[in-house]
Amino acid sequence: MKFSHKLKKMTNKELKLKSVFLRKNLLKYIYKAKAGHTGGSLSCVDTLNVLYNRVLNVDPNNFKNPHRDRYIQSKGHCVEALFVTLADRGFFPESDLETLCQYQSHYIGHPTKKVNGVEQNTGALGHGLPICVGEAIAAKLDDKSHRVYTLLGDGELPEGSNWEAFLSASHYKLDNLYAILDNNKQQITGYNKDVMNTDSVRQKLEAFGWAVKEVDGHNLEELEEALNSGPLETGKPSFIIAHTIKGKGISYMEGVTKWHHGVPSPEQYELALSELREAEALI
Amino acid sequence: MELDKIEEKDLKMGKANQDVFSETLQALAETDRNIIAVTSDSRGSGKLVPFGEKYPNQIVEVGIAEQNLVGVAAGLASAGKKTFAVSPACFLSARALEQIKNDVCYSDNPVTLVGISSGVSYGALGTTHHSLHDYAVLRAINNIIIVAPADNFETEQAVRLAAKTNKPVYMRYGKKAMPFLKEDNKTFEFGKGRVVREGNDITIIATGETVYPAWLAAKKLEDEHDMKATVVSMHTIKPLDIKLLEELASNGRPIITVEEHMVNGGLGEACASHLFQKGFKNPFKIVGIPDEYTVTGSQVEIFNHYGISKDGLFKTCKELLDI
């Protein structure tokens, strides 16, 4: 039996406010835990906001419904963005995040299935897409209409397993599969182009048989349109390049590599919050 | 000794375990459309061509890409498919190790990983194609059952049980025909060793395709010295049947372990570790492939070279029994 989650649709303004709220929250818990992947969480949180509030057919109270859309976060290190989004959608009480990274907590530095709403244990890079290919093949075999989504980091593109999976996804014409690239252009060592150049990813993916669309990864309307309008092309998997800014929303973090997993000092934290309050007021 | 030639009139010759795997999987697929084989250009060597022809919607080919093989298998299993990922044991257990560790075991996706042409089955193709590390690396990973069936009975049972077991399983076997090691086959359970010969003078604990030469050595010991050996097919390397192990050790008699695996980290060390920590002091010998460049040759030649043979194990028995 198919299902459709009952989600009160937010206005576009409310959705924008939600992005600011999620940014505040992920910074709050990273600040409390004194650990986290700050820059990448801030770059992908708009995508997660759109996925969980506009796209994914998932029910927090019946997560394991077999007809649910699947979302597997391949860039598992940006778990803070995922956790605050799941908590906000009611998958677990937000207060659980007080235990983030603490002894015996399920809320660790990468997604685990012990947390309601998490599909797979991820964290090692290059693992999300092959699992999604399996999920998408299974859905095709069973004639199920749910969709399968993954979020890749641009820093994980050099992992060979991604390219094995890119091949198989187009071979099996998985137009129920959507891979989103959080293209924030930086990784722990610096700019991708200096570490391992993944430029012209669009041409590479098109050559691998995917349909590709590029969007502003901080423009919620563009994201929703790309992720929720069916496959970009029938018979092809969809690859959405979300152009983002690492550390987006906090002036002193934007585009600064050291915030990959930097934790703000008390002064920096207050400054970040004040910037987010200003952003909120402008919406 | 030839592994695929019957040496003992009391034993009935069977097929290669890989053929039994294929036939059993076909039988299961006939009534269960959720049975899925995933292959990495390995349907020929995995004996899955007939399976693929009969059930084209139940075989997923990923090409020569073992990491993707295991990742895709994990996704299929997560979606409720009873998934068998079939690939040469050497590549499956090394190249896709991180996918086994994370996507299958850590994420608890019940994939059965089928390592074909395992151990030194590929013989003279050399070390690239040998899997003498798989028990060791997988023993160090949580949440996986490691099985090396000895004969056709164990293989069929292991495949049927794996399809029912909602846990990750790694199964490995070779290419040679195997004799049925015991007639009164009873129940088969993962984690329960199978005694295929009984005696009180010495114990040989073997696994996979080394159980047959162990059986032959025990027969020779009885014929030539009137001494009897217990021979166990310890088909499940993890979880180890520690109850049986302790029972076997309790008479204080010598124990020999035999495996088609490097002596580091395999069945022998698993047995020794348990027994030593429990205070047993039995004379103990681990027979396997030593930590060296493996000698060149066929599977049987390699077995003979390292004493994994009727005569080699007979000699080891005599040394431990001081006869």
Side-chain angles (χ1 to χ4, degrees), chain A residues 161-209:
Chain A
S161 49
N162 285 323
W163 300 90
E164 293 181 5
F166 287 144
L167 275 177
S168 58
S170 61
H171 179 88
Y172 284 103
K173 302 182 170 50
L174 299 178
D175 57 8
N176 53 349
L177 174 63
Y178 300 77
I180 309 149
L181 182 70
D182 181 30
N183 196 42
N184 65 29
K185 302 160 197 70
Q186 283 171 280
Q187 56 194 102
I188 195 164
T189 300
Y191 283 91
N192 303 153
K193 65 180 172 54
D194 300 323
V195 179
M196 182 49 59
N197 196 348
T198 51
D199 274 0
S200 60
V201 67
R202 177 181 193 122
Q203 293 90 320
K204 288 181 174 78
L205 264 293
E206 282 172 346
F208 270 65

Side-chain angles (χ1 to χ4, degrees), chain A residues 111-167:
Chain A
T112 83
K113 289 161 78 171
K114 288 184 176 169
V115 174
N116 187 38
V118 174
E119 285 282 352
Q120 298 292 335
N121 298 346
T122 54
L125 295 172
H127 286 245
L129 191 62
I131 302 172
C132 285
V133 170
E135 285 272 13
I137 290 173
K140 290 270 183 192
L141 289 172
D142 292 341
D143 207 20
K144 288 181 178 166
S145 57
H146 64 259
R147 300 162 296 177
V148 183
Y149 292 85
T150 187
L151 178 67
L152 299 161
D154 49 0
E156 73 173 304
L157 278 183
E159 290 282 10
S161 49
N162 285 323
W163 300 90
E164 293 181 5
F166 287 144
L167 275 177

Side-chain angles (χ1 to χ4, degrees), chain A residues 68 70 108 111-113 119-122 124-127 129-135 137-139 141-142 144 160-161 164-165 168 171-172, chain B residues 33-34 36 57-62 64-76 78-79 81 95 98-99 102-103 106-109:
Chain A
R68 72 190 181 279
R70 268 62 164 182
I108 59 170
T112 83
K113 289 161 78 171
E119 285 282 352
Q120 298 292 335
N121 298 346
T122 54
L125 295 172
H127 286 245
L129 191 62
I131 302 172
C132 285
V133 170
E135 285 272 13
I137 290 173
L141 289 172
D142 292 341
K144 288 181 178 166
S161 49
E164 293 181 5
S168 58
H171 179 88
Y172 284 103
Chain B
R33 59 186 284 272
N34 278 325
I36 301 275
N57 291 327
Q58 287 173 249
I59 189 162
V60 174
E61 175 64 69
V62 299
I64 304 170
E66 291 79 12
Q67 296 181 73
N68 198 38
L69 172 91
V70 177
V72 167
L76 286 160
S78 181
K81 300 294 179 189
R95 194 160 193 141
E98 200 186 52
Q99 280 73 18
N102 294 337
D103 308 346
Y106 178 42
S107 276
D108 198 24
N109 288 313

Side-chain angles (χ1 to χ4, degrees), chain B residues 25-320:
Chain B
L25 202 66
Q26 274 192 68
L28 289 169
E30 202 164 316
T31 55
D32 188 348
R33 59 186 284 272
N34 278 325
I35 296 280
I36 301 275
V38 194
T39 58
S40 55
D41 196 27
S42 49
R43 74 180 71 197
S45 47
K47 303 293 171 192
L48 286 168
V49 172
F51 181 99
E53 286 168 352
K54 209 167 170 188
Y55 306 108
N57 291 327
Q58 287 173 249
I59 189 162
V60 174
E61 175 64 69
V62 299
I64 304 170
E66 291 79 12
Q67 296 181 73
N68 198 38
L69 172 91
V70 177
V72 167
L76 286 160
S78 181
K81 300 294 179 189
K82 294 169 190 171
T83 310
F84 289 75
V86 184
S87 189
C90 50
F91 312 129
L92 181 62
S93 62
R95 194 160 193 141
L97 184 60
E98 200 186 52
Q99 280 73 18
I100 294 175
K101 172 184 164 238
N102 294 337
D103 308 346
V104 175
C105 298
Y106 178 42
S107 276
D108 198 24
N109 288 313
V111 176
T112 300
L113 301 148
V114 182
I116 58 174
S117 306
S118 65
V120 293
S121 293
Y122 280 123
L125 293 188
T127 294
T128 55
H129 283 59
H130 295 166
S131 59
L132 298 173
H133 58 273
D134 46 354
Y135 301 159
V137 295
L138 296 175
R139 277 184 66 220
I141 290 175
N142 172 244
N143 194 32
I144 190 163
I145 296 163
I146 307 171
V147 186
D151 63 4
N152 293 182
F153 165 74
E154 291 183 10
T155 304
E156 180 181 346
Q157 295 297 313
V159 176
R160 289 183 178 280
L161 198 51
K164 282 194 276 188
T165 302
N166 207 25
K167 282 282 163 196
V169 174
Y170 174 76
M171 184 185 303
R172 62 111 108 168
Y173 50 74
K175 302 198 287 187
K176 296 283 192 183
M178 285 287 123
F180 288 90
L181 292 160
K182 194 181 179 186
E183 282 197 0
D184 58 331
N185 294 318
K186 292 183 184 164
T187 54
F188 177 91
E189 285 178 58
F190 292 146
K192 297 286 176 200
R194 176 176 171 233
V195 178
V196 296
R197 230 186 137 90
E198 290 187 63
N200 282 318
D201 295 306
I202 192 165
T203 298
I204 309 176
I205 301 169
T207 193
E209 297 182 7
T210 68
V211 185
Y212 176 37
W215 193 98
L216 292 173
K219 176 77 165 54
K220 187 171 179 175
L221 191 68
E222 192 172 330
D223 290 346
E224 297 186 13
H225 293 278
D226 198 26
M227 298 191 92
K228 290 192 173 179
T230 288
V231 179
V232 175
S233 169
M234 195 65 91
H235 48 73
T236 310
I237 287 115
K238 187 178 143 179
L240 195 62
D241 188 350
I242 53 173
K243 184 167 171 279
L244 176 63
L245 192 60
E246 288 177 23
E247 278 171 24
L248 295 168
S250 62
N251 64 6
R253 305 299 296 166
I255 294 173
I256 301 171
T257 65
V258 197
E259 60 201 300
E260 188 179 359
H261 186 274
M262 187 179 280
V263 291
N264 299 349
L267 172 71
E269 285 195 356
C271 292
S273 167
H274 181 78
L275 292 175
F276 190 69
Q277 290 182 78
K278 286 284 175 180
F280 289 96
K281 299 286 191 291
N282 304 53
F284 197 93
K285 173 74 182 172
I286 296 172
V287 177
I289 310 290
D291 186 356
E292 64 179 39
Y293 284 110
T294 307
V295 71
T296 308
S298 68
Q299 183 189 27
V300 157
E301 286 166 338
I302 295 169
F303 273 21
N304 285 336
H305 184 86
Y306 294 116
I308 309 168
S309 60
K310 177 177 72 176
D311 292 336
L313 293 169
F314 173 70
K315 187 164 167 274
T316 303
C317 284
K318 289 209 306 175
E319 284 166 8
L320 284 176

